Amino acid sequence: MEINAERDGATVIARPTGRLDGSNAGEFQEALEAAIDESDRALVLDFEQISYISSAGLRVILLTARSLQGNGGQMALCALDAPIREVFAISGFDTIIPIHGTRDEALAAVGG
């Protein structure tokens, strides 16, 4: 898995690629924690290049969202393929974390 992160003001945009599962969930969490500063108010996860996500990946996303919310921030997801979006719907995560079709829509939603 590769994770690219960039900034748009106080918003971090992270673009992981490949599979997000138990074998790399810790690496994913560490990369997100390293990319987010205390001054950051939002995180957009661009999942355009994610082909699979397991419960371990969902856990990292939930923990990151809770951490951001605890600091007054927010998270949004974008560009999920249909099978990935279905995982979020089945798990109920789509009611916890906003999902948008495009990166621009996600940025607009979090104020970036």
Side-chain angles (χ1 to χ4, degrees):
M1 162 180 278
E2 183 178 323
I3 303 164
N4 295 310
E6 61 186 78
R7 292 186 179 285
D8 183 346
T11 301
V12 174
I13 303 163
R15 291 175 292 143
T17 60
R19 295 174 56 92
L20 181 50
D21 55 30
S23 70
N24 58 17
E27 173 189 345
F28 180 57
Q29 184 171 3
E30 289 172 10
L32 289 178
E33 289 171 355
I36 301 169
D37 293 333
E38 285 185 26
S39 62
D40 292 325
R41 292 291 139 222
L43 170 65
V44 170
L45 289 177
D46 183 339
F47 271 25
E48 184 175 16
Q49 298 297 316
I50 290 293
S51 60
Y52 174 82
I53 188 166
S54 73
S55 60
L58 291 173
R59 180 180 179 280
V60 171
I61 292 168
L62 181 61
L63 291 173
T64 303
R66 285 185 178 164
S67 176
L68 277 168
Q69 290 170 348
N71 291 329
Q74 55 187 329
M75 175 191 285
L77 300 167
C78 68
L80 282 68
D81 284 344
I84 304 297
R85 191 173 184 108
E86 185 177 350
V87 169
F88 278 84
I90 290 170
S91 65
F93 275 52
D94 61 343
T95 63
I96 300 169
I97 302 166
I99 298 174
H100 302 278
T102 67
R103 180 174 159 172
D104 288 341
E105 291 171 353
L107 282 169
V110 297

